[in-house]
Amino acid sequence: AQKVTQAQTEISVVEKEDVTLDCVYETRDTTYYLFWYKQPPSGELVFLIRRNSFDEQNEISGRYSWNFQKSTSSFNFTITASQVVDSAVYFCALSDMNYGGATNKLIFGTGTLLAVQP
Amino acid sequence: DAGVIQSPRHEVTEMGQEVTLRCKPISGHNSLFWYRQTMMRGLELLIYFNNNVPIDDSGMPEDRFSAKMPNASFSTLKIQPSEPRDSAVYFCASSLARGSMNEQFFGPGTRLTVL
């Protein structure tokens, strides 16, 4: 069965600190996709990144970076020099490969609440 | 471009009443998903459609819940009769599977309160 574990329920940091959000996944599929979504206090879910299982390159986007390691089934998310606006719940998610030209469902972790204090 | 549109944004109803939630996916997307978010259960998939056809409704809690997608630009999620435990935020999401791209884009959600 597919499963996503975000062991960190809440993290509190002071502005400008670096913070890493952990994500561990389980799947029997050899091809799959991993995602991170952000849910700010306003409630919407904002897509941040998608990673394919066959592409283990780490990715950096501004202050955000992602470390994908198949050997440990982890897809961790680091925010460098955190800002108050980064305060949100962050969800890691997993889905099977596309089939028949269509998308598959997302399995979400329980989320990590990040509080960045000024 | 307009994102996923959901209506209403907030709904307060009394137990036993029928509730209908509406979703307009992003134009051109061929997959549509209904999720529910609660404190106890987190984000869980209720049902999803590919090319307007229901693919997996195993997440639908019980027969009181039903969903339809009559065309590519509209979907409804209906609860009849509603119960207090149905109180949650209901999200609709859409996506287009193109090569390895398949990210889902979420609507703003409908916050449902059943008294």
Side-chain angles (χ1 to χ4, degrees):
Chain A
Q2 294 178 308
K3 184 179 179 182
V4 176
T5 301
Q6 294 180 258
Q8 304 152 308
T9 305
E10 293 186 34
I11 300 176
S12 182
V13 299
V14 177
E15 212 171 15
K16 297 185 182 177
E17 283 185 27
D18 298 348
V19 58
T20 296
L21 310 181
D22 297 333
C23 173
V24 174
Y25 62 92
E26 296 175 30
T27 180
R28 287 180 290 204
D29 297 317
T30 55
T31 303
Y32 49 88
Y33 302 90
L34 295 163
F35 304 80
W36 277 95
Y37 282 83
K38 174 182 180 180
Q39 187 172 41
S42 52
E44 71 272 26
L45 281 158
V46 179
F47 165 75
L48 295 179
I49 190 173
R50 168 185 45 81
R51 174 60 72 214
N52 307 330
S53 58
F54 47 85
D55 180 3
E56 284 195 74
Q57 269 194 324
N58 291 331
E59 183 156 341
I60 298 175
S61 176
R63 295 184 297 107
Y64 294 173
S65 62
W66 291 269
N67 182 1
F68 175 33
Q69 292 194 344
K70 288 181 76 170
S71 60
T72 56
S73 297
S74 66
F75 185 42
N76 296 337
F77 174 27
T78 297
I79 301 175
T80 302
S82 59
Q83 300 176 1
V84 173
V85 293
D86 296 327
S87 297
V89 180
Y90 290 86
F91 291 95
C92 182
L94 166 72
S95 81
D96 290 338
M97 63 180 292
N98 299 339
Y99 70 96
T103 308
N104 217 324
K105 63 186 178 185
L106 288 171
I107 306 298
F108 282 93
T110 51
T112 297
L113 172 62
L114 174 64
V116 181
Q117 310 296 334
Chain B
D1 287 341
V4 176
I5 299 172
Q6 290 187 247
S7 64
R9 294 293 307 277
H10 302 272
E11 178 80 24
V12 180
T13 190
E14 293 189 346
M15 183 173 63
Q17 297 297 306
E18 177 179 297
V19 174
T20 299
L21 311 181
R22 297 173 177 79
C23 175
K24 178 178 171 54
I26 293 172
S27 178
H29 282 192
N30 63 350
S31 297
L32 183 140
F33 304 78
W34 283 101
Y35 293 89
R36 179 172 69 176
Q37 185 177 32
T38 61
M39 287 296 293
M40 291 297 293
R41 301 175 67 89
L43 274 161
E44 53 181 346
L45 177 76
L46 299 177
I47 184 171
Y48 75 101
F49 299 83
N50 285 335
N51 298 311
N52 311 340
V53 176
I55 301 300
D56 183 352
D57 66 354
S58 59
M60 297 286 261
E62 46 200 273
D63 292 346
R64 297 184 298 106
F65 285 69
S66 63
K68 293 182 180 180
M69 191 165 186
N71 57 61
S73 59
F74 184 65
S75 177
T76 59
L77 177 67
K78 184 176 294 185
I79 308 173
Q80 165 64 18
S82 58
E83 296 182 2
R85 58 187 167 135
D86 302 330
S87 297
V89 179
Y90 291 80
F91 287 101
C92 176
S94 71
S95 69
L96 172 63
R98 183 167 51 200
S100 60
M101 295 173 60
N102 63 350
E103 46 267 33
Q104 296 180 26
F105 295 92
F106 284 74
T110 295
R111 182 173 296 276
L112 173 66
T113 302
V114 183
L115 303 174

